[in-house]
Amino acid sequence: MTAEKKWVWDDRYDYLRDTRDLYYNEDYLEFLVRIVWKLDRPVDMIDFGCGYGYLGLKLLPLLPEGSTYTGIDRSGELLKRARDAFQGTSYRAEFVEADLEGEVELDRRYDLAVCHALLLHLPDPVRTLGRMAGCVREGGRVICFEPHWIGGMAGHQSGEGDASEVVPLGVLQKLYEDGRQRTGRDGNIGLKLPAYFSRLGLRSVECRVSDKVNFLDPRSGERERQELFHALKQEGVGTMPGERGDFVQGLLDRGLSLREAEAQYEAERLYAERFQVDSPLAYAPGMKITFGTVGPQRIEGSFLKF
């Protein structure tokens, strides 16, 4: 009997735990819940690709008492982490192990359908958005926290030098778009979601930008600097590009010219050399937060299957 194949995210808990706090200040999430979304009554929330329950742990303390949380994820390992994190809390939460790219049946009983950094990993994100909208009651919301990679790369500033020396945006945009064309997975999906929401018939579509700017301050305490430096490294900031020949060949295979590939290698090598624990660095990831309201459903039946 062969062992069950592990899902790729089963071993990524440390990365997820260490990097999530790079994106939002607590008061900004409170502002969204109470001022922008005006969630003043208990809600039933479902989290697509919930991982270890990050969004639930962040939003439930801000939501009215009596709100519930359902997390769905393919990774059994991350769901174990989620159950452990919610154990001992007073929150009403349940977790479902399921492949969101497969056939999933969900009752239309939720007030909120949310996801965080999920859709960029899917080859058909609009299909999953349809599932999210399909399980929300009329008048409820779909809320997606998703990146716009090229915008995030423009949010790097190392010291006082020119950012273009270490972050060549033109080549990166070309690589990101190549990746989408080859795999369907789109790291720039954050700014495309408003159009996708509109296509699906959601109303009152808006998009916000996360507020947090992380500053690695050489004058801050040792522990504070080490923790932020570690999180930024986990995020991929200032990491060494690896063996030169393999790196360049990989970019050639993705359509860059030899000059472009070698320049990209040098830029990433320079960034890695400059970025040390005692280096000043400002990083604003600029996560995009898109939300829209579900109108009358055109699909009959109490269960919606996509």
Side-chain angles (χ1 to χ4, degrees):
M1 186 175 181
T2 59
E4 184 178 352
K5 184 178 180 180
K6 294 188 70 174
W7 176 231
V8 64
W9 287 94
D10 284 345
D11 297 324
R12 301 300 305 277
Y13 169 71
D14 289 346
Y15 157 74
L16 294 171
R17 178 200 60 201
D18 294 343
T19 58
R20 300 304 89 173
D21 286 341
L22 294 173
Y23 304 135
Y24 318 100
N25 289 306
E26 299 288 341
D27 55 0
Y28 185 68
L29 292 176
E30 182 176 7
F31 167 74
L32 290 174
V33 169
R34 297 180 178 168
I35 305 300
V36 178
W37 300 327
K38 297 179 172 61
L39 299 174
D40 55 5
R41 292 181 293 179
V43 295
D44 296 319
M45 172 172 53
I46 183 169
D47 185 358
F48 282 63
C50 67
Y52 70 95
Y54 168 77
L55 272 186
L57 295 168
K58 287 294 184 182
L59 296 181
L60 281 170
L62 304 173
L63 292 170
E65 186 176 355
S67 296
T68 70
Y69 177 75
T70 300
I72 301 181
D73 202 282
R74 180 174 174 177
S75 171
E77 293 298 319
L78 290 178
L79 290 178
K80 289 179 184 177
R81 298 281 190 174
R83 294 186 181 98
D84 289 344
F86 277 80
Q87 190 173 12
T89 71
S90 60
Y91 302 127
R92 294 166 55 195
E94 64 174 326
F95 298 94
V96 179
E97 185 174 348
D99 181 0
L100 292 171
E101 296 181 81
E103 296 298 330
V104 180
E105 291 187 348
L106 296 167
D107 198 356
R108 186 188 173 200
R109 65 179 182 85
Y110 298 97
D111 303 294
L112 299 178
V114 301
C115 70
H116 188 279
L118 166 73
L119 300 176
L120 80 157
H121 298 294
L122 304 181
D124 190 357
V126 176
R127 184 167 182 255
T128 297
L129 277 175
R131 287 175 167 167
M132 294 175 72
C135 67
V136 173
R137 300 183 183 105
E138 183 178 344
R141 284 193 178 95
V142 176
I143 304 172
C144 298
F145 300 72
E146 294 287 337
H148 180 239
W149 275 354
I150 197 63
M153 294 307 296
H156 290 244
Q157 180 61 50
S158 178
E160 301 176 8
D162 293 331
S164 60
E165 290 183 330
V166 294
V167 185
L169 295 176
V171 169
L172 291 173
Q173 180 77 306
K174 184 176 179 179
L175 288 173
Y176 296 154
E177 291 175 353
D178 167 78
R180 179 189 61 79
Q181 292 167 3
R182 287 186 298 107
T183 68
R185 297 173 175 84
D186 190 355
N188 285 329
I189 196 170
L191 278 182
K192 297 177 182 178
L193 284 176
Y196 292 159
F197 275 45
S198 178
R199 185 204 303 180
L200 289 169
L202 295 171
R203 299 182 287 107
S204 303
V205 177
E206 295 184 41
C207 186
R208 300 286 177 118
V209 181
S210 63
D211 68 317
K212 192 161 188 177
V213 179
N214 302 276
F215 178 49
L216 185 66
D217 187 351
R219 300 178 65 184
S220 62
E222 175 71 15
R223 180 175 179 180
E224 180 182 351
R225 279 188 292 119
Q226 289 287 355
E227 288 179 352
L228 180 53
F229 181 76
H230 173 73
L232 291 167
K233 282 289 190 179
Q234 286 275 67
E235 183 77 347
V237 175
T239 56
M240 286 298 294
E243 199 278 323
R244 182 187 184 97
D246 292 342
F247 182 93
V248 169
Q249 185 59 53
L251 295 185
L252 292 175
D253 293 342
R254 294 174 62 182
L256 294 191
S257 68
L258 179 60
R259 181 185 62 81
E260 290 173 325
E262 290 182 338
Q264 182 63 30
Y265 178 86
E266 287 302 320
E268 295 194 24
R269 183 191 60 78
L270 180 61
Y271 199 167
E273 288 181 356
R274 286 184 180 178
F275 182 42
Q276 304 298 325
V277 70
D278 56 354
S279 305
L281 176 89
Y283 170 55
M287 186 74 81
K288 304 305 182 287
I289 307 160
T290 306
F291 48 96
T293 302
V294 174
Q297 297 286 308
R298 299 188 181 91
I299 303 174
E300 298 181 356
S302 59
F303 283 85
L304 303 170
K305 188 173 182 179
F306 292 83

